Amino acid sequence: MKTQLDNALQFQQTALNLQAQRQQMLASNIANADTPNYKARDIDFRSALKGAIGERSGPLALSGTSERHLTSSDSTAFGAYVGYRRDFQSNVDGNTVNMDVERAAFAENSAHYEASISFINSLLRGMQTAISGQ
């Protein structure tokens, strides 16, 4: 029974993890709005989700032949789908963070995250009702 429940929730769990990592990245962009030469980054959500559920369409991670090889400096599990945001207006200090774009992306991602949580809660409530028979 546990594996059936895990299989039913795997997609939602993957989407929720991706949304949480994207939220951290957007918060980092906002926090570094005044850092010279900081380049705003974002995750291609659609490609990362497709890659995570097995429909690999993007770049693959590099493999190493020795334990002494350097690993990726990106700490996200979806590092292959992280890119730099397009620069809409150049800043004198080389920073590419546009606060309006970042705030909008942050709010949109927050709404998607809350919707995912609500969907998972309703799915679990439905399963609990089905199991208890009430």
Side-chain angles (χ1 to χ4, degrees):
M1 182 68 174
K2 184 179 180 226
T3 59
Q4 290 176 348
L5 182 62
D6 287 343
N7 290 340
L9 295 174
Q10 184 177 9
F11 176 80
Q12 284 80 15
Q13 178 185 4
T14 303
L16 201 61
N17 288 340
L18 178 59
Q19 289 166 340
Q21 288 186 351
R22 182 169 187 240
Q23 197 75 352
Q24 288 177 347
M25 189 167 292
L26 294 171
S28 177
N29 289 346
I30 292 170
N32 287 296
D34 295 326
T35 304
N37 295 317
Y38 181 82
K39 306 299 181 204
R41 296 170 47 178
D42 200 359
I43 295 175
D44 181 3
F45 186 83
R46 176 175 287 159
S47 297
L49 190 59
K50 281 182 181 180
I53 60 173
E55 300 174 13
R56 289 245 176 235
S57 62
L60 299 174
L62 297 176
S63 62
T65 56
S66 170
E67 68 268 358
R68 292 176 29 190
H69 287 163
L70 296 177
T71 59
S72 172
S73 62
D74 198 340
S75 62
T76 66
F78 305 100
Y81 302 99
V82 174
Y84 293 103
R85 191 179 299 281
R86 173 183 271 176
D87 186 16
F88 293 106
Q89 182 177 1
S90 299
N91 290 343
V92 176
D93 63 358
N95 188 307
T96 63
V97 175
N98 183 334
M99 286 301 289
D100 293 332
V101 171
E102 298 302 326
R103 282 190 210 115
F106 191 88
E108 179 186 21
N109 196 59
S110 295
H112 287 244
Y113 187 86
E114 290 297 323
S116 294
I117 293 288
S118 296
F119 181 77
I120 290 171
N121 284 337
S122 66
L123 183 64
L124 291 175
R125 252 185 267 118
M127 287 183 181
Q128 184 178 13
T129 302
I131 291 170
S132 66
Q134 295 179 357

